[in-house]
Amino acid sequence: MLRLEHVTKHFGELAAVNDLSFELEEGEVFGIAGPNGAGKTTVFNLISGFLHGSGRIYFDGRRIDGLQPHQITHLGVARTFQIPQPFNSMTVVQNLRIGEYYGVAGRSGPKKDAPWNDLAELISFVGLEGKEARPVSTLKLYDKKLTVLASALATKPRLIMLDEALGGLSAVEAEQSLELLQRLNREWGLTIIMIEHLMSALTRSCDRLLILNNGEALRIGEPRTVVEDPVVIECLVGVKHA
Amino acid sequence: MSIVADQGTTSRADAGKPGGGRLPGDRPKALSLNRQTGMTIGLVVILALLPLVVGDSNYTMRLLVVSMIWGGVSLAWDLLLGYAGVFNLGQVGFFALGAYASAMLSENAGLNPWWGLLAGAAAGAVVAVLLGIPSLRLAGIYVALLTLAFYEVLSPLLTVGEAIGTGGKRGISPITPYTIGGYTFTGSNQIPWYYVALGLFVVCLIVCYFAINSRFGASFIALHDSESFAQSLGISRYKVSLMIVGVSGLLTGLMGAFYAHYTAVVSPRVLGLEVFIYLVIMVLLGGVGKFPGPAIGAFIVIFLSDWLREFENYRMLIFGALVVVIVMVAPRGIMGAVDSAQQFVRRRRASPATPTDVGRSS
Ligand SMILES: Nc1ncnc2c1ncn2[C@@H]1O[C@H](COP(=O)(O)OP(=O)(O)O)[C@@H](O)[C@H]1O
Ligand SMILES: [Mg+2]
């Protein structure tokens, strides 16, 4: 479904992403972990068209590196941001409407039907009922994250990329979010890439796990095997002590 | 049976509109009665009736016509500044282009001044879009720089452009007035001018109102609020900005065209700093991004400026001080102050038991 070939991105001297290649199967949940500054967010920015580097990126066999963010959204790739920045002058529903209106608009090829029929269904699926009319600026972080996620889902994506969806949440909220993501994958058949620091969450929900370090793929494979790899342990623990 | 079938097709065709119907928190329907709509309609009604009261005073009528001209321009500029977040510093340039386009076509090519309105609007829109094409892909600061450069070079260009009929430093004067069925507009009867100005002002109000309260409007408000998020939801920043810049340029050029024939003179003086500063104050005073505030700001500034006329050179000083005061005391302008007052009253009504609360908490 998604394929990266020798993707590299330099910021000046720094190789934030270095010769990264991997391929994603439809329906997969793919985790990305690594120390801060490893290049995880940069990978998302490259795939979603916010940054352009070298190498090739394919979605459904079509080359997408070089496209603009909105064009990539129209192909069916949605994303969230590490720090949620919703439309603060709007209500929850108005945020979602933007995704609904513009995510599908101009999409080439046959329009993909979403698993939900109207926004009300989507809202209750993510658990925002009763907060539709709230100005987003008055929401707490968890609900902001849900609003941002639901807006991304409103674009009717087939692949969604989540940048630290659980970050900053309480244990209970993180648990709820994780369940929601699993339902997105199982019930709605969405392919997911998730950047996460919480290893237990990754091993529980991912089919495969990529460990990034200094922009390079340190390990990629079955999550439990990967997290028990001494090289990975050293990489992740080493940072905690740094 | 047929009802069921109908429902099926509507839900598909309406996919773009509120999917399965309206939800709480949806954008109010256009023209639904809220403060914005009420103030807009109120403003138009008052202006339509005002000549009954002040129609005898050509002087007051003149001030009102000028207010409506700049009110339209303020609204068009605020569409960019307050709503789309496009930092265009060349708005007065679009105005001058509209004025020159109409004046030059009517004086040099004999075009009917009415058609000049279209020409002025077209000139404003085309040049705005031409400036937008190279700059809007870049960061906001480049838009500001490019439009400022455009504004700065326009005056010298018009001065040296005598060969193409700009009239050089002195500009073009006199300029043919409008005629309707044999009647020619004159300075001594302001009523016809007034109602044409009102018509154009209403065009500005309507276009801006629907630009803001539409799906299109939601997209540029979204970009303004959170650009990356908006793009990630499928909005093309470039396309949206270019469209809104075009609309703003169009309205501004339109008002410029009318201005030329109304004042019967255009010269590079319209590009002077004073006009620019007035426009800034109108938008600031009315409330940036607070439709229709900037239009109201225009009326206040024009009348205030006339009232302060006797202070001559100190006038700009007073206006400068006014800017500082607005920014410090009411950064969101008159409309922002109205917002706060409304919220205050609402809170008062919601909790009439405030004294007891205080007692309890202490
Ligand atoms: N826009 C940018 N300009 C310059 N350097 C950047 C930019 N974005 C990220 N970086 C650098 O690239 C590296 C990787 O960043 P990032 O992808 O955000 O890491 P992660 O998400 O894994 O924490 C960091 O060293 C960061 O400072
Ligand atoms: Mg990151």
Side-chain angles (χ1 to χ4, degrees):
Chain A
M1 179 182 223
L2 180 77
R3 192 164 79 245
L4 275 72
E5 291 179 357
H6 309 291
V7 171
T8 299
K9 175 70 193 176
H10 285 269
F11 293 115
E13 291 290 290
L14 174 83
V17 174
N18 198 1
D19 196 24
L20 183 67
S21 302
F22 66 84
E23 188 165 357
L24 218 69
E25 298 293 324
E26 179 133 29
E28 202 176 359
V29 179
F30 188 84
I32 302 181
N36 275 326
K40 305 180 294 293
T41 298
T42 306
V43 172
F44 273 16
N45 286 337
L46 289 164
I47 297 172
S48 56
F50 283 91
L51 286 175
H52 301 281
S54 59
R56 289 176 297 277
I57 305 174
Y58 296 89
F59 182 71
D60 282 343
R62 188 183 155 172
R63 233 180 126 164
I64 60 165
D65 51 292
L67 295 187
Q68 295 297 308
H70 67 275
Q71 296 174 310
I72 289 170
T73 306
H74 292 163
L75 292 174
V77 181
R79 70 165 292 181
T80 63
F81 295 84
Q82 196 168 332
I83 298 164
Q85 283 175 322
F87 307 125
N88 272 327
S89 68
M90 305 186 191
T91 63
V92 170
V93 161
Q94 287 167 354
N95 271 259
L96 271 61
R97 290 284 183 210
I98 297 285
E100 186 193 25
Y101 291 155
Y102 288 93
V104 201
R107 183 178 288 186
S108 50
K111 286 202 172 132
K112 184 138 164 54
D113 274 316
W116 43 274
N117 290 314
D118 57 61
L119 279 194
E121 261 180 82
L122 180 58
I123 286 168
S124 73
F125 187 88
V126 300
L128 278 169
E129 312 101 312
K131 296 182 177 133
E132 294 93 338
R134 287 275 296 277
V136 214
S137 53
T138 65
L139 297 179
K140 59 181 171 130
L141 179 70
Y142 179 60
D143 289 329
K144 272 189 188 165
K145 287 201 159 190
L146 289 183
T147 303
V148 164
L149 172 67
S151 306
L153 291 172
T155 66
K156 306 190 175 172
R158 289 168 50 217
L159 165 66
I160 187 159
M161 308 196 288
L162 306 163
D163 197 346
E164 303 196 14
L166 313 184
L169 299 183
S170 74
V172 176
E173 291 166 342
E175 187 60 34
Q176 282 175 349
S177 293
L178 201 59
E179 270 165 31
L180 181 62
L181 300 186
Q182 287 174 336
R183 287 180 57 205
L184 282 178
N185 177 249
R186 284 183 203 139
E187 294 172 27
W188 286 6
L190 232 68
T191 310
I192 297 176
I193 312 182
M194 52 192 288
I195 294 176
E196 208 50 66
H197 281 300
L198 213 60
M199 280 301 156
S200 59
L202 287 171
T203 50
R204 246 173 66 199
S205 47
C206 295
D207 299 309
R208 280 191 304 152
L209 181 58
L210 161 70
I211 306 291
L212 266 186
N213 190 30
N214 295 327
E216 296 182 11
L218 189 67
R219 285 290 185 276
I220 182 167
E222 202 280 317
R224 275 168 219 290
T225 326
V226 168
V227 293
E228 279 160 19
D229 192 314
V231 178
V232 171
I233 293 174
E234 199 201 318
C235 164
L236 296 176
V237 172
V239 166
K240 261 184 204 153
H241 287 281
Chain B
M1 286 279 275
S2 68
I3 295 170
V4 176
D6 278 345
Q7 276 177 343
T9 46
T10 346
S11 72
R12 207 60 220 132
D14 273 4
K17 290 193 219 151
R22 297 179 58 79
L23 293 171
D26 256 320
R27 179 159 45 79
K29 267 194 187 138
L31 291 181
S32 64
L33 212 57
N34 52 23
R35 198 185 66 202
Q36 200 181 57
T37 318
M39 284 187 77
T40 309
I41 294 173
L43 189 63
V44 174
V45 170
I46 291 173
L47 285 171
L49 299 178
L50 213 50
L52 295 177
V53 185
V54 298
D56 289 339
S57 161
N58 261 352
Y59 191 79
T60 311
M61 290 290 280
R62 270 208 193 91
L63 290 179
L64 286 169
V65 172
V66 173
S67 300
M68 287 191 277
I69 294 173
W70 290 107
V73 178
S74 305
L75 290 175
W77 197 24
D78 187 46
L79 216 48
L80 299 182
L81 289 182
Y83 286 94
V86 173
F87 220 76
N88 169 35
L89 297 178
Q91 202 75 20
V92 183
F94 303 154
F95 183 82
L97 280 176
Y100 268 94
S102 188
M104 283 164 67
L105 284 170
S106 86
E107 300 322 298
N108 306 338
L111 187 80
N112 185 319
W114 290 114
W115 289 111
L117 289 172
L118 287 185
V126 168
V127 174
V129 168
L130 286 179
L131 284 173
I133 287 171
S135 64
L136 288 171
R137 280 191 201 281
L138 309 172
I141 183 72
Y142 293 99
V143 179
L145 287 175
L146 186 75
T147 51
L148 184 66
F150 154 75
Y151 170 65
E152 283 294 321
V153 300
L154 202 53
S155 174
L157 272 183
L158 290 169
T159 309
V160 300
E162 227 165 334
I164 58 159
T166 63
K169 210 176 170 66
R170 261 191 266 133
I172 303 171
S173 176
I175 300 171
T176 320
Y178 300 107
T179 48
I180 274 185
Y183 172 80
T184 303
F185 289 25
T186 64
S188 54
N189 182 6
Q190 288 290 313
I191 300 280
W193 292 109
Y194 182 92
Y195 281 103
V196 173
L198 179 59
L200 297 175
F201 180 58
V202 169
V203 167
C204 291
L205 280 171
I206 290 176
V207 170
C208 292
Y209 179 91
F210 282 102
I212 295 161
N213 294 291
S214 65
R215 208 160 121 176
F216 171 54
S219 74
F220 62 78
I221 294 167
L223 281 166
H224 187 35
D225 270 14
S226 182
E227 184 172 316
S228 298
F229 183 45
Q231 288 175 295
S232 79
L233 296 182
I235 296 177
S236 163
R237 183 182 70 134
Y238 180 66
K239 226 187 275 172
V240 169
S241 321
L242 206 55
M243 278 170 73
I244 197 69
V245 162
V247 169
S248 180
L250 183 127
L251 295 179
T252 308
L254 176 74
M255 292 320 241
F258 175 77
Y259 168 87
H261 296 271
Y262 179 63
T263 58
V265 52
V266 285
S267 77
R269 278 194 53 194
V270 69
L271 291 157
L273 190 62
E274 196 172 308
V275 174
F276 182 84
I277 290 176
Y278 274 130
L279 198 57
V280 171
I281 302 174
M282 290 171 188
V283 176
L284 265 182
L285 186 67
V288 181
K290 297 258 171 215
F291 177 91
I296 295 166
F299 282 87
I300 296 174
V301 169
I302 295 294
F303 276 84
L304 196 63
S305 154
D306 177 65
W307 190 55
L308 293 174
R309 226 155 26 117
E310 56 192 290
F311 296 98
E312 301 224 353
N313 293 332
Y314 293 103
R315 191 160 60 160
M316 285 320 279
L317 200 69
I318 295 170
F319 269 103
L322 188 62
V323 173
V324 176
V325 171
I326 297 169
V327 170
M328 288 175 64
V329 177
R332 292 179 307 133
I334 292 173
M335 295 298 281
V338 173
D339 274 349
S340 311
Q342 234 179 20
Q343 273 163 19
F344 180 76
V345 171
R346 236 181 253 148
R347 235 176 278 134
R348 264 298 175 80
R349 272 203 212 126
S351 57
T354 315
T356 7
D357 287 349
V358 174
R360 222 178 283 154
S361 67
S362 60

